[in-house]
Amino acid sequence: SKQENVPIKSTEETNMVKAHIERTVNVPINRAWEILSDFANVQKIHPLVGSVDQKSVQDRGVGAVRTCHMYDGNDVIERIEEWDDENHSYKIK
């Protein structure tokens, strides 16, 4: 996997980190969604994630949980809060 510099913001009062990564790819939307919605395998596309442990029985949709093991040694637990197959989007917290 490849690492790259990504702008990251941290808010001191909540100790939360927010990252925004944007890329333009030349693939059909359904193929892009197939890749992006593979919640348990984000390390295949996210430059800061080394590996992932799926923590829930379900691997997609509201309620799915994963632990992302970052290259910098930190772990991030994420849970899907919103899921929209029709509009190809989800929100994690």
Side-chain angles (χ1 to χ4, degrees):
S1 292
K2 179 178 100 169
Q3 285 185 296
E4 63 184 60
N5 291 327
V6 176
I8 296 179
K9 276 194 297 197
S10 179
T11 57
E12 290 182 30
E13 61 276 356
T14 62
N15 202 24
M16 291 181 61
V17 174
K18 293 185 178 189
H20 177 86
I21 300 170
E22 186 174 313
R23 294 227 168 77
T24 301
V25 293
N26 188 19
V27 296
I29 186 69
N30 289 336
R31 177 64 180 136
W33 180 238
E34 178 184 328
I35 294 165
L36 294 171
S37 67
D38 188 3
F39 188 67
N41 288 297
V42 71
Q43 77 279 7
K44 293 179 180 179
I45 58 168
H46 195 298
L48 301 178
V49 179
S51 64
V52 173
D53 292 328
Q54 181 177 321
K55 297 296 187 179
S56 57
V57 174
Q58 66 193 78
D59 62 355
R60 58 184 283 136
V62 173
V65 179
R66 67 184 176 198
T67 299
C68 297
H69 304 286
M70 312 305 275
Y71 283 113
D72 68 3
N74 289 307
D75 291 339
V76 178
I77 299 171
E78 298 178 323
R79 181 182 187 280
I80 297 177
E81 299 288 318
E82 298 175 16
W83 187 272
D84 187 345
D85 273 320
E86 185 177 324
N87 291 302
H88 309 103
S89 68
Y90 62 86
K91 179 180 177 181
I92 56 176
K93 192 168 187 177

